Amino acid sequence: MTEPSLDVLAIGNAIVDVIAATDDAFLEAEGLAKGSMRLIDAAEATRLYGRMGQARETSGGSAANTVAGIAALGLRAGFIGQVAGDQLGEIFRHDITGLGVTFTTPVSHGGVPTARCLILVTPDAQRTMNTFLGASQHLPAAALDADQIKSAAILYLEGYLWDPEEPRWAMIKAIDIARNAGRKVAFTLSDSFCIARHRDGFNQLIDSGKIDILFANEEEIKALAGEEDFGPAVAATTGRVETLVVTRSEKGAMALRGRERVAVPAEPIAKVVDTTGAGDLFAAGFLAGQAQGRTLEESLRMGAIAAAEVISHYGARPEAGLKALVAEKLG
């Protein structure tokens, strides 16, 4: 097996995040449930964008956030995702490559605009997300660079992209390329609503032995296992993948591999400002630790450190030097 040229290569939705502060009155006036995530069409995206206050626009999407965190930790990261040849597509490409992430996926010419997520953050740090998935949902298998996939030590996939058929087949093809090259494959369940729609497909993917590292939170692991309680859900899933990682918000996180079971507390933080991207950055820290050959405990702690940093400010991208933070806390 050749030495990898990338530590982590992710496949996911290529979305421009538009983040603005707001208040409960605005959410009520718009009929939006605080903390919810809804899918919207292009017309609603245009209307709501016009109603939002001053906003910050950055490249986003769950897996894109993760590889941005991996790059911030000093590792070699790449991303595969579909944008259109429009202004937001250029914002996405410029932003993510400026962070040090390799992004070479050709633009779509199908006429569907680049995806965007309009994120409204209230003073209590809750984020209400309004997502137009646009071109990101049309990633074809033909856009994959097989040599790039073979060159990555870990291929990381987001469950959000499992919904549409075209990118689902692209991800299945990418998994086969990675496994045939002897690389690790990681998968995040992303959200309980994804599991509600694709539980059988996710379980089939896991039971086929194609996933080495599985990420979930408490609600997701219960939904996947079809269990009402956390303990039985973890027990039902452990052993079906090489490594199971479960985040538990303020209760920390745990990882299970064979007979090894490790748990770490949440990293202390003065104030939670915005929880956007917490799970994405946790995955970044954990995957970076694994790519570096660290233990499960060290990798979990790296995930906790990265997650704590990102929830201390607005936005899903780290602002402090993650590499320095990890060095300070872990050495």
Side-chain angles (χ1 to χ4, degrees), residues 137-315:
Q137 297 284 279
H138 297 278
L139 175 71
L144 300 177
D145 183 336
D147 289 337
Q148 185 184 48
I149 295 168
K150 294 174 185 177
S151 75
I154 301 172
L155 176 69
Y156 176 68
L157 309 160
E158 68 170 78
Y160 285 127
L161 202 56
W162 199 259
D163 207 42
E165 185 174 355
E166 193 169 22
R168 187 189 318 148
W169 286 114
M171 290 199 292
I172 291 171
K173 179 180 178 180
I175 289 171
D176 289 339
I177 293 170
R179 295 200 68 82
N180 289 336
R183 305 306 191 186
K184 296 288 187 182
V185 176
F187 190 89
T188 175
L189 295 173
S190 293
D191 196 286
S192 293
F193 87 83
C194 294
I195 301 167
R197 292 172 64 86
H198 300 290
R199 181 172 178 266
D200 289 345
F202 286 169
N203 277 312
Q204 183 179 6
L205 181 67
I206 291 164
D207 289 333
S208 69
K210 294 185 177 183
I211 304 301
D212 300 294
I213 304 170
L214 180 67
F215 290 93
N217 63 26
E218 287 190 88
E219 293 306 313
E220 292 160 5
I221 200 68
K222 289 189 289 186
L224 180 73
E227 297 281 354
E228 292 185 1
D229 297 319
F230 177 68
V234 171
T237 311
T238 303
R240 296 171 62 204
V241 291
E242 179 184 289
T243 305
L244 172 64
V245 182
V246 185
T247 57
R248 309 186 70 192
S249 298
E250 71 278 1
K251 291 178 282 188
M254 61 190 302
L256 303 97
R257 177 184 293 158
R259 295 178 178 271
E260 189 176 4
R261 183 184 180 112
V262 181
V264 301
E267 195 71 14
I269 180 174
K271 181 184 179 182
V272 176
V273 176
D274 176 15
T275 55
T276 307
D280 304 334
L281 268 293
F282 182 92
F286 185 87
L287 290 172
Q290 291 296 282
Q292 291 175 328
R294 292 180 181 257
T295 65
L296 286 182
E297 182 175 1
E298 289 173 324
S299 298
L300 286 171
R301 286 205 60 202
M302 286 179 67
I305 291 166
E309 192 284 330
V310 82
I311 65 176
S312 68
H313 56 77
Y314 285 117

Side-chain angles (χ1 to χ4, degrees), residues 31-149:
L32 301 175
K34 184 192 292 188
S36 66
M37 196 288 281
R38 64 169 182 153
L39 298 178
I40 59 177
D41 59 20
E44 174 62 4
T46 300
R47 188 201 69 80
L48 184 59
Y49 180 76
R51 293 269 294 146
M52 291 172 65
Q54 185 176 7
R56 181 172 60 181
E57 298 176 345
T58 62
S59 59
S62 176
N65 292 335
T66 296
V67 289
I70 289 168
L73 285 161
L75 279 77
R76 301 164 299 175
F79 180 73
I80 296 172
Q82 189 76 77
V83 297
D86 53 20
Q87 183 180 1
L88 286 182
E90 284 304 308
I91 287 174
F92 184 94
R93 187 176 301 277
H94 181 271
D95 191 58
I96 200 166
T97 56
L99 296 170
V101 176
T102 300
F103 178 52
T104 59
T105 310
V107 301
S108 166
H109 296 289
V112 180
T114 295
R116 73 287 312 263
C117 182
L118 309 179
I119 304 172
L120 298 161
V121 184
T122 43
D124 58 0
Q126 288 292 308
R127 80 266 197 241
T128 303
M129 306 171 73
N130 306 270
T131 306
F132 168 58
L133 293 171
S136 69
Q137 297 284 279
H138 297 278
L139 175 71
L144 300 177
D145 183 336
D147 289 337
Q148 185 184 48
I149 295 168

